[in-house]
Amino acid sequence: MTERLAELSALRAQAVRGPSERATEAQHAKGKLTARERIELLLDPGSFTEVEQLRRHRATGFGLEANRPYTDGVVTGWGTVDGRTVFVYAHDFRIFGGALGEAHATKIHKIMDLALAAGAPLVSLNDGAGARIQEGVSALAGYGGIFQRNTRASGVIPQISVMLGPCAGGAAYSPALTDFVFMVRETSQMFITGPDVVRAVTGEEITQNGLGGADVHAGTSGVAHFAYDNEETCLSEVRYLLSMLPSNNREIPPSVPCDDPADRSGAALLDLVPADGNRPYDMREVIEELVDDGDHMEVHERWARNIICTLARLDGQVVGIVANQPQFLAGVLDIEASEKAARFVQLCDAFNIPIVTLLDVPGFLPGVDQEHGGIIRHGAKLLYAYCNATVPRISVILRKAYGGAYIVMDSQSIGADLTYAWPTNEIAVMGAEGAANVIFRKQIAGADDPEAMRARMVKEYKSELMHPYYAAERGLIDDVIDPAGTREVLISSLAMLRTKHADLPSRKHGNPPQ
C-alpha cells in the first residue's frame, strides 16, 4: 500500500505540475496565468476539489498516442466563493494549446452535469485553441455536448464565461450561451473566423485584438459584459458578481448586513436631476445616491450607453436596475439599448432579482437605419421581457416618459407592481411641442403670428395633459413622491413585494421576438 500511495502521489504531482517548466514560463511570458493559478484566484483558499485529474485521451494517429498528458488540457472541479459552492473548469493552454478533444470534452460535460444537479454556479476559464484537429469529428461532437448543457442550464444556474486567451470558431458559441462574459484586454480574443480567414475572403487587414479583442466586444459588438486590464482584477470581479447572484433559480440572491440607513435622505437628487427635460445629467449619479453605499456593478457598461443595466443592493437586498441615460442620445431607446435591457430583465427574472426601472425617456430613436434594422422587432424584445417577468417590479418616472418607450419601460399597463413619479414627471404620447404642431396645426398656420400661437398652444397642451398629476389622477401611477425619499420608498415597497408570487400560463415556452 505504501508503494501504491507513493505512485499515486507521483502521478498527482505530475498532473499538477503540467507538461514542463518551459511551457509554464511561456504562458507567463504572454502575461497569462496557468489554469491552476487562475482557479486559486477565483476560489476560496484551499477549497478546490479536482475531478478526473488523471484522465488521459485515448486517440491515436498524428502522434497523439505518444503524447498523453494527465488532465488532457482541462482542469475541472468545484470549490467555494465566499463559502458558497461553485463549479469550475479551466483550459490549460500548456497542453495541446487548450484544444478540445474527446476526453477533454467529457470532463467538461461531467462538471456541467454536476453543477446542474447540485444547483450551483458554473464558471468556465477559457484559454483554448478550439477543436483538436487531430481528433476530427469527435472534437466537434464534444462542443455539441457543451452547447446542449449550456442551454439546459440556462436560467437554472448562473453560468459565467471568463475569456483569458483565444477563443475561435465554434468554441465562441458556448460563452455566447452563458449569462455573463468577462474578457481581459490584450490577452483574450473571440471570433468565428480569424484575421487570416478574413484577409483571404474579404481582403481586409486586421489584428486579432482589432477583430475580437476585449474592447471590441465590450464596446462594439456587445458580446462581452465586462472587460478588465489584467486577470487578477477580472477574477476578483467574477467573485463579486457571484456574491450578487443566487446559486440557482430556486433561491433568492444572498443578502448582506447593511449599515446604510434605509431612510437616508437623498436631498442631493434635487440638484442632480434638472427640472428642464432637455438638460442632460448622469443617471449613474442618481443610482449611486439611491443604492447601498453608492455601490453597484454595471453590466455592458460600454455598450448601448444610452441605457444602464446594473446590479446593486437596497437595504442589503440585491436588485437589478434598468435606467435611461440622458447623457447619451438623450436616453432614447434604440436597437442596441432594447436588446441590452431585454437580456438583463430576463436574467433578473430567471434568478429572482427584483427589477427597479428609472425612466427619463423621450421615445424610440427615429431614423431609416433604425427602422430598416428592425427597431420594432428589437423594441418588442424589451416589451416581451418585462411582460413575462414575474419578479417584483417597481418603476420610477424621474422626468419625461413619452410614447411607446413609456409603455415598454415597465409601465403599470404592462404589469409593473408599483409605479412612482417625481413632481417633474411628464407622461405623454409625445413632447408638448410635437403634440401642439399636430393637434393645432391649422390654428398655428392661420394665425397672424404663428410662433406666438404655437407657444400658446404648447403651454395649453402642457397644462391640460402633461402636468405631473395627470397620470396620478387616472391611476396610472401609484404616487407622486419627493425625490429625496425615493430610496426609502423603494426599500419599503420591495420589502412588501418580497413574498410576491405570480404564475405564467401553462406552456412549453413562449415565442419571443427575435
Side-chain angles (χ1 to χ4, degrees):
M1 179 61 73
T2 302
E3 292 176 359
R4 293 291 188 181
L5 288 174
E7 180 185 23
L8 174 61
S9 179
L11 291 176
R12 289 200 187 284
Q14 182 180 340
V16 170
R17 186 169 57 250
S20 67
E21 284 297 322
R22 183 177 177 182
T24 301
E25 290 169 4
Q27 181 81 345
H28 289 163
K30 297 174 185 175
K32 301 197 297 183
L33 301 174
T34 65
R36 296 182 187 279
E37 289 170 340
R38 290 163 174 166
I39 290 173
E40 287 175 6
L41 284 175
L42 173 68
L43 301 177
D44 296 337
S47 69
F48 182 55
T49 299
E50 190 169 352
V51 176
E52 295 195 348
Q53 183 185 66
L54 302 180
R55 187 71 180 257
R56 299 199 293 178
H57 73 76
R58 55 189 176 186
T60 59
F62 306 101
L64 284 177
E65 62 275 10
N67 187 11
R68 301 178 63 227
Y70 293 110
T71 74
D72 200 49
V74 63
V75 181
T76 60
W78 73 87
T80 60
V81 172
D82 297 327
R84 300 165 64 217
T85 300
V86 172
F87 287 80
V88 61
Y89 68 86
H91 298 130
D92 190 341
F93 194 82
R94 301 172 303 165
I95 298 174
F96 299 126
L100 180 139
E102 181 187 28
H104 183 120
T106 303
K107 289 182 64 174
I108 295 175
H109 297 168
K110 181 179 181 66
I111 212 66
M112 295 179 79
D113 290 340
L114 283 172
L116 190 58
L122 174 71
V123 179
S124 62
L125 306 180
N126 297 270
D127 185 7
R132 196 174 298 171
I133 299 172
Q134 301 94 320
E135 294 196 31
V137 71
S138 296
L140 296 179
Y143 274 122
I146 293 173
F147 303 157
Q148 183 192 47
R149 287 166 173 82
N150 284 139
T151 305
R152 191 186 306 154
S154 181
V156 181
I157 58 172
Q159 299 180 83
I160 299 174
S161 297
V162 189
M163 315 312 295
L164 302 168
C167 184
Y173 285 117
S174 176
L177 289 168
T178 60
D179 300 305
F180 296 99
V181 176
F182 286 72
M183 294 189 74
V184 176
R185 294 184 178 92
E186 301 303 322
T187 58
S188 65
Q189 303 88 27
M190 296 174 66
F191 36 70
I192 298 300
T193 55
D196 293 340
V197 177
V198 170
R199 186 185 310 110
V201 175
T202 70
E204 296 172 285
E205 294 284 347
I206 193 165
T207 64
Q208 286 195 348
N209 281 320
L211 181 63
D215 288 326
V216 169
H217 286 311
T220 303
S221 72
V223 171
H225 300 79
F226 307 96
Y228 299 100
D229 290 331
N230 57 69
E231 295 189 16
E232 291 82 359
T233 303
C234 180
L235 293 169
S236 174
E237 291 299 298
V238 173
R239 285 178 59 91
Y240 180 58
L241 175 61
L242 286 166
S243 75
M244 308 278 275
L245 301 173
S247 292
N248 56 64
N249 64 346
R250 300 183 300 277
E251 299 181 4
I252 60 172
S255 60
V256 299
C258 178
D259 297 326
D260 195 349
D263 60 353
R264 169 174 56 81
S265 173
L269 294 170
L270 301 177
D271 297 322
L272 284 177
V273 181
D276 181 357
N278 294 319
R279 288 180 57 192
Y281 62 94
D282 190 352
M283 184 65 83
R284 284 191 189 88
E285 295 181 0
V286 174
I287 293 170
E288 289 165 4
E289 185 65 29
L290 293 175
V291 303
D292 294 353
D293 303 311
D295 190 26
H296 63 105
M297 187 173 194
E298 187 171 349
V299 179
H300 273 143
E301 180 180 355
R302 297 176 54 210
W303 181 60
R305 298 168 77 183
N306 42 320
I307 200 161
I308 295 172
C309 299
T310 191
L311 293 169
R313 282 190 170 89
L314 285 169
D315 199 29
Q317 305 291 331
V318 177
V319 296
I321 298 175
V322 180
N324 305 109
Q325 174 57 296
Q327 209 169 47
F328 293 94
L329 295 175
V332 298
L333 289 178
D334 60 3
I335 288 172
E336 291 186 344
S338 299
E339 287 192 342
K340 170 180 170 177
R343 183 85 195 283
F344 184 74
V345 168
Q346 289 173 179
L347 173 100
C348 291
D349 187 49
F351 293 114
N352 308 312
I353 300 172
I355 301 168
V356 173
T357 305
L358 305 178
L359 284 86
D360 191 347
V361 59
F364 281 94
L365 181 65
V368 175
D369 288 345
Q370 288 291 307
E371 295 294 347
H372 289 185
I375 184 64
I376 298 171
R377 176 166 50 86
H378 293 283
K381 294 179 183 179
L382 180 54
L383 181 61
Y384 188 99
Y386 269 124
C387 290
N388 207 43
T390 60
V391 292
R393 291 156 49 191
I394 301 174
S395 60
V396 182
I397 302 163
L398 278 59
R399 294 195 309 187
K400 55 190 176 295
Y402 295 158
Y406 152 67
I407 302 172
V408 168
M409 290 288 292
D410 207 18
S411 62
Q412 192 175 100
S413 60
I414 67 168
D417 296 297
L418 291 167
T419 304
Y420 300 107
W422 288 3
T424 47
N425 83 85
E426 291 182 354
I427 307 174
V429 175
M430 62 178 69
E433 289 76 10
N437 288 336
V438 173
I439 298 172
F440 307 112
R441 64 179 181 276
K442 290 184 179 179
Q443 294 94 316
I444 293 171
D448 294 334
D449 186 346
E451 288 305 316
M453 176 61 76
R454 179 180 288 106
R456 187 161 69 87
M457 293 297 99
V458 167
K459 185 177 180 180
E460 181 179 327
Y461 183 83
K462 282 187 173 181
S463 65
E464 290 292 326
L465 295 177
M466 294 182 65
H467 62 79
Y469 308 104
Y470 183 86
E473 291 169 2
R474 285 153 181 79
L476 296 175
I477 59 175
D478 293 291
D479 200 5
V480 179
I481 62 174
D482 180 351
T486 304
R487 171 178 165 85
E488 184 176 6
V489 168
L490 287 174
I491 288 173
S492 64
S493 299
L494 288 167
M496 179 274 293
L497 289 167
R498 198 160 294 145
T499 54
K500 174 187 174 181
H501 176 76
D503 289 320
L504 292 172
S506 178
R507 59 185 175 185
K508 188 174 182 179
H509 56 72
N511 187 25
Q514 297 297 323

